[in-house]
Amino acid sequence: MEHAKSYYAASARHKDGFPALDGDIDVDVAIVGGGFTGIATAVELAERGLRVAVCEANQIGWGATGRNGGQITGSLSGDTAMEREFKRTLGDQASEFVWDLRWRGHDIIKNRVEKYGIKCDLKFGQMQTALNKSHLRELTATFEQGCARGMQDHLEMVPADKMGEYLESDLYIGGLLNRRNMHVHSLDLCVGEALAAQSLGAQIFENTKVTAIEYGARPKLVTENGVITADKLVLAGNAYHLLEQEKLRGKLFPASLANMVTEPLDADVARAINPQDIAVYDGRFILDYYRLTADNRVMFGGGTNYSGRDSGDIAAELRPALERTFPRLKGVGIDYSWAGMDGIILNRIPQVGRLSKDVFYVQGYSGHGIALTHILADLTAREIAGEASEFNVFENVRHWSLPVGRSMGSLMIAVGMAYYRMRDRIAS
Ligand SMILES: Cc1cc2nc3c(=O)[nH]c(=O)nc-3n(C[C@H](O)[C@H](O)[C@H](O)COP(=O)(O)OP(=O)(O)OC[C@H]3O[C@@H](n4cnc5c(N)ncnc54)[C@H](O)[C@@H]3O)c2cc1C
């Protein structure tokens, strides 16, 4: 299938695509899924000299990776649960480990972009904004925690009377600016990484849907036009993945997230509403997130629909929030709107594990996956390559499974999320 009709697909720098698999091949590691999880794992493995193949059913970055808000932040979503669960493996070191995790993905991405010269509009600067006093208290606590851990040069608490220096919006009573966080043209980053992996010998296949997995002395990925035999397999299809459901059912539930992009703004309007070109999200559980693109459009997302179904008219649903945020954009043209699915995990800790000794799965970022996918790709590759890794820290986490199918699970999560949405509304 073609990419969603997104801003990313329309403005992608690399449009040549990758070939489809045609015939049987043999590699060290075969990967299902050409999003950040699969592609970043391929880069890590190829850099270690392993023979790698990636099968993507559609196009590289077709899933959540090519549809997201492009914000690379230190938010882990499930950080409290992580600290509790990671204690099982790390004891007293768990808290330090979780803090370090917040930033590891940033370094991986920044270094990779520099190393391979990936053109993807990578920029620094992101703010979490406060709509109410409770958000402000949370941001202050994060700021203090960051300063206590030596991040004071990257962080700044912005009081209400200084917010105008960053955003032309009267919604907020303060914000936490983080200069280590970044934003990016997500599809260009993923395709750039795929090209980097290819330059190291990895085979990247598009339009190559894996239809079955065969276990055995050496497992196999079966596709319509060929079979890949490998020493190890990695399943990285996240919310779009439907293989091996008898083993994976009840673990991950798809949530549909929405995004839209305005027409290009005059440069002076873009600078007026967001003079420092930062990415932004607010402090609610179900939050609005936005940023400028390289060509002065506003990319604006929000209003998670946890039922796993795409919304009817995304632009109409998101426009009121955009206009509330920036009144001067009232009536602005919307050129693109689209939805994408990310995998929600009940405790919000990404799930990694093995379906057999040689078949790994890595999935479930609960809406915060750009940095996390790269972290888990690093851990997975190190585990496969037999190097020291903290893969087991994630693997040892206890995950709940709901004894229901994906759509029923998504609906149940939707009911829970309706509660948080109501709580956000009352508090704002
Ligand atoms: C609208 C939206 C906004 C978001 N905003 C942000 C954000 O601002 N910041 C952030 O950190 N995170 C954000 N996220 C989350 C982030 O994009 C994801 O967590 C991340 O991209 C997941 O990457 P992935 O590779 O695991 O999955 P995906 O990118 O979904 O890739 C999975 C791929 O597997 C392929 N596949 C599935 N089954 C098969 C098969 N049988 N054979 C072959 N291929 C298969 C699919 O075609 C797909 O391309 C957002 C997500 C969405 C949807």
Side-chain angles (χ1 to χ4, degrees):
M1 270 162 79
E2 296 293 306
H3 278 293
K5 301 256 174 277
S6 71
Y7 164 79
Y8 290 121
S11 60
R13 288 174 165 91
H14 177 88
K15 299 204 192 269
D16 292 347
F18 296 85
L21 177 66
D22 187 13
D24 297 347
I25 62 168
D26 189 302
V27 293
D28 297 320
V29 184
I31 298 172
V32 185
F36 279 137
T37 304
I39 293 298
T41 305
V43 176
E44 298 279 358
L45 292 166
E47 283 182 338
R48 288 166 169 81
L50 276 87
R51 297 173 308 140
V52 186
V54 178
C55 291
E56 165 53 49
N58 302 291
Q59 329 234 311
I60 296 305
W62 177 90
T65 295
R67 309 181 195 211
N68 62 42
Q71 300 201 20
I72 303 168
T73 73
S75 170
L76 295 174
S77 200
D79 47 357
T80 313
M82 279 183 188
E83 286 201 19
R84 191 180 55 240
E85 284 295 322
F86 292 172
K87 274 198 180 132
R88 294 158 60 77
T89 313
L90 296 173
D92 293 344
Q93 303 301 311
S95 171
E96 198 62 34
F97 179 73
V98 172
W99 179 258
D100 171 60
L101 266 191
R102 288 178 184 278
W103 315 109
R104 263 198 213 186
H106 295 54
D107 293 341
I108 295 171
I109 293 169
K110 180 176 157 292
N111 293 340
R112 186 161 301 153
V113 165
E114 284 169 7
K115 179 172 177 185
Y116 295 101
I118 298 173
K119 292 197 170 53
C120 56
D121 308 331
L122 189 69
K123 290 182 183 155
F124 287 89
Q126 190 267 350
M127 184 185 280
Q128 189 171 352
T129 53
L131 290 158
N132 57 44
K133 287 188 177 152
S134 131
H135 295 166
L136 208 48
R137 277 194 296 275
E138 279 171 35
L139 293 184
T140 307
T142 310
F143 173 71
E144 285 168 358
Q145 193 188 16
C147 292
R149 293 187 189 249
M151 267 190 69
Q152 57 280 357
D153 292 347
H154 297 284
L155 300 177
E156 184 182 332
M157 272 310 284
V158 181
D161 62 345
K162 291 265 185 331
M163 283 297 286
E165 292 175 19
Y166 295 92
L167 298 167
E168 189 187 58
S169 177
D170 56 9
L171 284 186
Y172 310 119
I173 61 167
L176 175 58
L177 178 67
N178 183 320
R179 294 198 180 82
R180 194 164 176 186
N181 285 345
M182 302 179 277
H183 53 107
V184 71
H185 188 302
S186 190
L187 182 58
D188 278 354
L189 173 59
C190 186
V191 173
E193 292 185 278
L195 291 167
Q198 196 180 45
S199 74
L200 297 168
Q203 301 183 70
I204 310 287
F205 300 114
E206 290 186 331
N207 301 309
T208 300
K209 181 174 180 176
V210 176
T211 52
I213 288 162
E214 287 180 5
Y215 295 83
R218 295 185 75 223
K220 295 180 172 31
L221 292 184
V222 180
T223 79
E224 274 184 6
N225 292 316
V227 172
I228 306 184
T229 306
D231 293 335
K232 309 273 183 214
L233 304 181
V234 180
L235 310 187
N238 201 20
Y240 292 95
H241 179 89
L242 292 170
L243 294 164
E244 301 299 290
Q245 285 305 299
E246 63 287 358
K247 292 178 184 151
L248 292 174
R249 191 191 321 276
K251 290 186 186 298
L252 170 147
F253 299 98
S256 175
L257 298 120
N259 219 343
M260 71 176 185
V261 169
T262 67
E263 62 189 337
L265 308 178
D266 286 344
D268 53 337
V269 174
R271 291 301 148 249
I273 61 169
N274 185 350
Q276 317 258 352
D277 201 0
I278 54 174
V280 180
Y281 64 73
D282 64 52
R284 288 173 300 177
F285 193 80
I286 298 174
L287 45 86
D288 290 339
Y289 51 92
Y290 56 86
R291 66 188 182 88
L292 292 171
T293 62
D295 55 353
N296 288 332
R297 302 163 184 270
V298 179
M299 176 177 289
F300 193 98
T304 312
N305 165 7
Y306 281 83
S307 71
R309 297 200 180 91
D310 285 355
S311 143
D313 187 344
I314 290 163
E317 280 181 27
L318 291 178
R319 178 185 283 283
L322 169 69
E323 294 182 351
R324 239 186 347 265
T325 309
F326 296 119
R328 81 147 79 195
L329 296 188
K330 200 162 180 44
V332 69
I334 306 296
D335 282 354
Y336 306 96
S337 63
W338 67 92
M341 303 235 263
D342 202 15
I344 304 293
I345 306 294
L346 291 179
N347 63 7
R348 304 211 150 215
I349 306 177
Q351 283 182 336
V352 308
R354 291 170 232 233
L355 298 179
S356 75
K357 181 170 67 66
D358 299 320
V359 179
F360 294 71
Y361 64 90
V362 183
Q363 61 181 22
Y365 306 99
S366 304
H368 296 272
I370 305 183
L372 269 172
T373 46
H374 287 80
I375 296 167
L376 286 174
D378 169 51
L379 298 188
T380 307
R382 281 198 269 145
E383 182 73 13
I384 287 174
E387 298 169 12
S389 90
E390 298 108 338
F391 187 84
N392 67 328
V393 177
F394 280 89
E395 199 175 21
N396 289 345
V397 167
R398 292 163 301 189
H399 285 287
W400 292 43
S401 287
L402 288 179
V404 294
R406 284 159 67 97
S407 20
M408 178 54 79
S410 293
L411 273 177
M412 288 167 73
I413 290 179
V415 172
M417 290 306 128
Y419 161 76
Y420 283 104
R421 193 188 299 272
M422 191 178 67
R423 208 182 60 165
D424 282 341
R425 283 209 180 116
I426 292 167
S428 354

